[in-house]
Amino acid sequence: MSLVQTPADDPKMAAEEDHEVAAATKSGRPTAKDAALLAFVSSIGPFAANAYVPAFDEIGQHYGVGLVTVQQTLSIYLAAFACTSLLIGAASDAFGRKAVLALSMTVFAVSSLGLLFADSMEAFFIWRFVMGMAAAAGPVVTQAIVRDRWSGGDAAKIIALIAVIFGLAPALAPVVGGELTVHLGWRSIFIFLAVLSAAMAFCSACVLKESLPSERRVSFRPWATLLRYGEVLKVPAFTSGVVAHGFIFLGLIVYSAGAADFVLNVMGLGVDEFGWLMIPMVVAGMTGSWACSHLLAMFGQNRLLFWGVGFLAASGLFGVVFDHGPFAVFPWVLLAPVVYNFAAAAVRPALNVMNLDWTSTISPKAAVWPLQCSSFFRRALLRFHRRSSFPSFWGRPGSMLQ
């Protein structure tokens, strides 16, 4: 037996070596170019999910199908997004961050062109599935790049910017999509996505620095990666936090899921007026994010979570009652979603911290597992929610879903 102890023989030594190697690859302070590229690459997925919502009616008429059939393309997109998010981080660990991001954005651009020229609803379904797979790389790989290159306050600044853009993207997407639909037709949305993703593919390949050197890469073993999620889910606090975060996330998209019907028939506005729904919710969400640190300082994490979830539940119940009473007209119908968005934005950072705190005791390489697991659960719930709850305004006079 060897008298020399190696990292392979001692898990503690292995963990220390991982930390030393990770520290050696840290970059200098992040630049505006780094922040902008990572933020926009991370946000293209949620942007693409909602950008074509204002064009649902036109797409349905073009292919001769109903609104609910068009809505299923969202379910397909999110199912692909959720499943791919489980493995995309492991792929970037094996092949490098730049290669995975550049390839994903290229596939995203190709799928956008496929949607542009799709000659049937079936082809449209297939290309949305491909787009969902490509979009999964954004949020997972960009978080891994931040962890590779920065730490402490620098990492926090990048993550904060990514979170802001990531939150703005799905809310502003229908506004952009509505303007494009009115002025240039629904196909222009996919031209816009193709150009945007092609630019991101170029920047990922030619501008972005590789944050994972070859000596730190590991072999790509999908089955072993999937088995590791069992370790994550054995932590009750983490699993509870993921479930809570997922259900809060569902509430955030209840109005965007039914935005086409809600804006056109409930609010009585036009295809190019989605901003009247989305902008107030964006402002509420940004205000809640700003207030989070102040509320944490005042009440502490546990009390913030307790009262925050209480406000979320109350605003949801209030919306159900209020939206079916005499005040179910614009602008009063916006009150419930605005309150919900504020409370959710104030609570979600505290949940994220609770979910990720325990990972400090294990190898840095494992830090991506909870990110991917949480992303999968949220996207899977979102996929189910959009499939089952999209007709959230059935029964209203004039609803397209009656």
Side-chain angles (χ1 to χ4, degrees):
M1 184 176 74
S2 173
L3 297 178
V4 178
Q5 194 174 37
T6 66
D9 300 321
D10 187 347
K12 184 177 180 180
M13 288 180 64
E16 290 175 351
E17 185 178 85
D18 280 339
H19 280 285
E20 291 172 0
V21 172
T25 61
K26 297 294 182 185
S27 300
R29 303 199 65 177
T31 65
K33 180 177 65 178
D34 294 324
L37 178 58
L38 293 177
F40 282 104
V41 169
S42 176
S43 303
I44 193 169
F47 185 91
N50 287 352
Y52 75 136
V53 169
F56 272 7
D57 192 41
E58 288 193 19
I59 294 173
Q61 291 178 18
H62 177 80
Y63 291 109
V65 298
L67 186 65
V68 175
T69 300
V70 180
Q71 183 270 329
Q72 296 309 308
T73 62
L74 280 171
S75 298
I76 291 171
Y77 175 90
L78 292 165
F81 194 119
C83 294
T84 307
S85 69
L86 292 175
L87 296 173
I88 198 69
S92 74
D93 286 341
F95 305 114
R97 315 300 190 203
K98 282 184 63 171
V100 170
L101 269 186
L103 178 60
S104 297
M105 291 300 98
T106 301
V107 173
F108 193 102
V110 171
S111 64
S112 298
L113 295 177
L115 289 163
L116 175 64
F117 296 110
D119 57 0
S120 67
M121 202 66 218
E122 291 75 16
F124 201 94
F125 286 153
I126 292 170
W127 284 116
R128 280 297 282 181
F129 184 86
V130 175
M131 179 179 279
M133 293 179 64
V140 175
V141 178
T142 53
Q143 292 281 344
I145 291 172
V146 172
R147 192 182 70 249
D148 291 339
R149 295 183 58 185
W150 301 288
S151 60
D154 290 335
K157 291 176 183 177
I158 292 284
I159 291 174
L161 178 61
I162 290 175
V164 170
I165 302 297
F166 194 87
L168 287 173
L172 295 180
V175 180
V176 175
E179 292 293 333
L180 288 172
T181 300
V182 168
H183 298 291
L184 300 173
W186 67 268
R187 293 184 187 276
S188 64
I189 296 171
F190 298 108
I191 297 175
F192 177 83
L193 290 174
V195 172
L196 181 64
S197 54
M200 291 183 183
F202 175 81
C203 292
S204 297
C206 302
V207 178
L208 187 68
K209 294 180 180 179
E210 177 57 67
S211 63
L212 188 69
S214 56
E215 61 269 19
R216 288 188 59 206
R217 297 179 190 177
V218 297
S219 59
F220 183 49
R221 295 183 293 175
W223 181 246
T225 300
L226 292 175
L227 290 177
R228 289 174 181 173
Y229 290 109
E231 300 175 26
V232 174
L233 296 175
K234 289 178 183 178
V235 182
F238 171 76
T239 304
S240 300
V242 168
V243 172
H245 199 169
F247 280 105
I248 289 173
F249 193 74
L250 292 186
L252 289 172
I253 54 86
V254 66
Y255 283 90
S256 63
D261 194 33
F262 190 71
V263 172
L264 299 179
N265 296 297
V266 178
M267 295 173 65
L269 303 177
V271 172
D272 58 344
E273 295 180 299
F274 274 70
W276 290 105
L277 171 63
M278 297 301 177
I279 292 175
M281 293 199 296
V282 169
V283 172
M286 294 179 69
T287 305
S289 297
W290 171 83
C292 177
S293 59
H294 301 281
L295 294 173
L296 276 171
M298 291 174 61
F299 301 111
Q301 185 179 38
N302 291 338
R303 291 179 66 189
L304 173 61
L305 290 174
F306 178 82
W307 287 107
V309 171
F311 269 102
L312 290 169
S315 64
L317 293 173
F318 175 76
V320 171
V321 176
F322 194 79
D323 288 356
H324 288 81
F327 294 101
V329 293
F330 177 69
W332 302 110
V333 289
L334 296 179
L335 187 58
V338 164
V339 172
Y340 189 96
N341 271 259
F342 174 85
V347 167
R348 289 177 67 194
L351 277 175
N352 274 331
V353 171
M354 185 178 71
N355 289 349
L356 295 174
D357 271 351
W358 70 276
T359 61
S360 61
T361 62
I362 61 177
S363 168
K365 294 177 182 177
V368 75
W369 303 347
L371 290 170
Q372 293 173 251
C373 187
S374 181
S375 176
F376 169 78
F377 185 78
R378 291 199 307 273
R379 302 299 167 189
L381 278 179
L382 183 55
R383 186 256 182 192
F384 171 78
H385 174 80
R386 287 190 187 269
R387 181 182 180 89
S388 62
S389 305
F390 180 82
S392 53
F393 307 106
W394 270 341
R396 287 185 179 275
S399 172
M400 292 186 290
L401 298 171
Q402 281 189 311

